[in-house]
Amino acid sequence: LHPATAHDFAFCEHLSRTNMAGYRAARGIAWDPERFRASWVEFETLMILAADDAVGLLRLLPEGEALGLRDLQVMPARQRHGIGGWAVRQAQAISRQRGHPRLQLRVYADNPARRLYARLGFTIEAETDGTLHMAWSPPRVA
């Protein structure tokens, strides 16, 4: 993981826009470039690198006491090679290191990534309009 810079903005916007296009289209949600630009300032965006090549992004945002995993995107050609799982485990480690009692996210119920999150210990806390609200808490140290 490497902190994103202004140079990475176009890559991140394109990847988020194209990876989620089918989900947005199915729900009648148009891409809003201004919303992405505003989130660029608000979120912590980390580039996922493989041999110095950008292969994805991870976006985090403190949400009260929790850390929110707000966006995880992997380039289509690099999906199903363990990169997403690795990135989620990194987010879990960051959450622990920063003292957050939980890492939380939202995922569309029809998104296959929900199975990855479940395998990595996330549980469904609520479902709203086809969106799953999931959370993970680090094991308690005795």
Side-chain angles (χ1 to χ4, degrees), residues 18-110:
T18 57
N19 274 10
M20 297 304 291
Y23 298 104
R24 284 192 321 279
R27 290 159 178 83
I29 302 169
W31 176 255
D32 183 350
E34 289 308 312
R35 183 175 180 192
F36 188 86
R37 186 171 306 285
S39 74
W40 184 258
V41 174
E42 184 181 8
F43 297 178
E44 175 183 6
T45 302
L46 302 169
M47 302 298 295
I48 302 170
L49 304 177
D52 293 329
D53 293 325
V55 297
L57 63 99
L58 176 69
R59 304 183 79 206
L60 305 170
L61 180 69
E63 299 173 341
E65 291 187 1
L67 182 62
L69 194 167
R70 297 301 300 265
D71 197 6
L72 170 59
Q73 303 295 334
V74 176
M75 293 176 59
R78 302 302 296 265
Q79 292 175 5
R80 294 181 242 319
H81 293 109
I83 295 170
W86 177 86
V88 173
R89 288 189 298 277
Q90 297 305 304
Q92 289 169 321
I94 291 168
S95 179
R96 275 193 310 268
Q97 290 165 358
R98 295 181 183 174
H100 293 283
R102 58 192 262 128
L103 178 64
Q104 58 193 27
L105 59 86
R106 293 184 303 265
V107 62
Y108 291 124
D110 57 334

